[in-house]
Amino acid sequence: MSWVLSAFADEAGDTTQEQIDAIERAGLKHIDVRGIDGHNIATLPLDEAKAIREKLDAAGITVAMFGSPLGKVDIADPFEAEAAKLAHMGKLAPVLGCNAIRIFSYYNKAKVPKDRWKRESLDRMGRLKKQAADLGLILYHENERHIYGDRCPEVLDIAEALRDGKTFRLIFDFDNYNQSGDDVWDNWTKLADHTDAFHLKDSDEHGQHVPIGEGNGDARRILADAVKRGWSGPLSLEPHLRHSAAVLATHAGGSENQSFQEMSRRDVFNVAAEAAISLLGELKAPVA
């Protein structure tokens, strides 16, 4: 059973080549594609995707997951736009050699009653799940600030209603739980059996992003427990140490780390990668 470590390299650079350089410098072999060459993955033209694939293949890098924005809109927004984006990513999947899609679970800007928010969010994700199954895609839900699946009880709702370990899976993001005010270790004890992937992102008590394992996300303890449990799956490095355009486009919470202000984006990304690789090595995690 192995762990596949990839990274959102758009935090290091905007272009395909900058992202390849960052992945190679970190010693990784997998990338998560979110923003690249001026496009979000959900709208990346097919011809440009083919050119990107050629460059990635030449560098020996594979795409682990699409960092899509699906579900990071309001429950009142037209669903058709979401379905169209997923359909497009279904066309991108064979081009980029990836069928894993990161998603979210909808904002509630009008502050409708929570039961209605839950019902609408689960319905929309259920429709995406059915569409994904038809397209041969796998959806990975990320716990994110202010969407329905923000805190542990709501993520458990999603797990019960939709997670099947096949078409619909769950990501555990240490930082987002910490910033929501949850006890991250307690969340892990409740969600360990429902966790299919990790996002390696961490923050301190002030919400400032720090390298993984150095914050209040209890990452070291949780990842050590995952090793003991024989867990396997993908891990995505998403450090947010600098709020690049790629990060700002996600409406990320927390603050960038002031310690790295004088460093370039690519150097800051490499600091984060080195911290992640070192931590996983200390824990003897079975990283492929």
Side-chain angles (χ1 to χ4, degrees), residues 41 44-54 56 92 95-96:
I41 185 60
L44 178 66
L46 292 176
D47 59 340
E48 295 193 37
K50 292 175 184 176
I52 290 169
R53 174 67 183 271
E54 290 175 0
L56 292 174
L92 287 173
V95 177
L96 291 172

Side-chain angles (χ1 to χ4, degrees), residues 11 82-83 89 160 165 172 191 211-212 241 248 262 264 284 286:
E11 296 195 21
E82 297 275 276
M89 286 184 282
E160 180 179 359
F172 190 103
L191 292 166
I212 189 70
L241 298 182
L248 292 173
E262 302 305 316
S264 67
K284 295 182 171 54

Side-chain angles (χ1 to χ4, degrees), residues 98-109:
C98 174
N99 68 343
I101 314 289
R102 185 271 310 272
I103 70 166
F104 302 97
S105 52
Y106 299 96
Y107 294 115
N108 180 15
K109 296 178 182 176

Side-chain angles (χ1 to χ4, degrees), residues 127-201:
R127 291 158 72 183
L128 290 175
K129 177 182 175 180
K130 182 180 184 304
Q131 183 182 358
D134 292 341
L135 294 170
L137 303 175
I138 303 170
L139 303 181
Y140 282 83
H141 173 270
E142 176 187 351
N143 58 286
E144 172 65 289
R145 300 296 313 283
H146 310 305
I147 62 172
Y148 182 76
D150 180 349
R151 309 188 72 167
C152 188
E154 289 71 34
V155 175
L156 286 170
D157 288 342
I158 294 169
E160 180 179 359
L162 296 168
R163 179 182 177 270
D164 57 9
K166 297 177 182 179
T167 302
F168 198 101
R169 306 179 183 182
L170 296 183
I171 297 169
F172 190 103
D173 186 301
F174 307 92
D175 166 63
N176 291 340
Y177 283 132
N178 179 50
Q179 291 198 42
S180 293
D182 280 5
D183 180 319
V184 188
W185 171 257
D186 185 61
N187 282 9
W188 169 247
T189 64
K190 294 180 173 68
L191 292 166
D193 291 338
H194 305 293
T195 294
D196 303 292
F198 286 105
H199 272 190
L200 302 183
K201 184 161 89 260

Side-chain angles (χ1 to χ4, degrees), residues 175 178-179 201-212 214-217 239-243 253-261:
D175 166 63
N178 179 50
Q179 291 198 42
K201 184 161 89 260
D202 209 347
S203 57
D204 61 20
E205 66 273 20
H206 304 296
Q208 177 179 248
H209 290 113
V210 295
I212 189 70
E214 297 181 15
N216 285 26
H240 282 20
L241 298 182
R242 286 281 299 275
H243 280 189
S255 59
E256 60 184 0
N257 195 306
Q258 298 303 308
S259 302
F260 302 116
Q261 286 302 298

Side-chain angles (χ1 to χ4, degrees), residues 4 7 36 94 119 147 155 165 167 173 183 228 244 251 283:
V4 177
I36 193 164
R119 185 170 61 252
I147 62 172
V155 175
T167 302
D173 186 301
D183 180 319
K228 292 178 182 177
S244 62
H251 309 293
L283 299 176

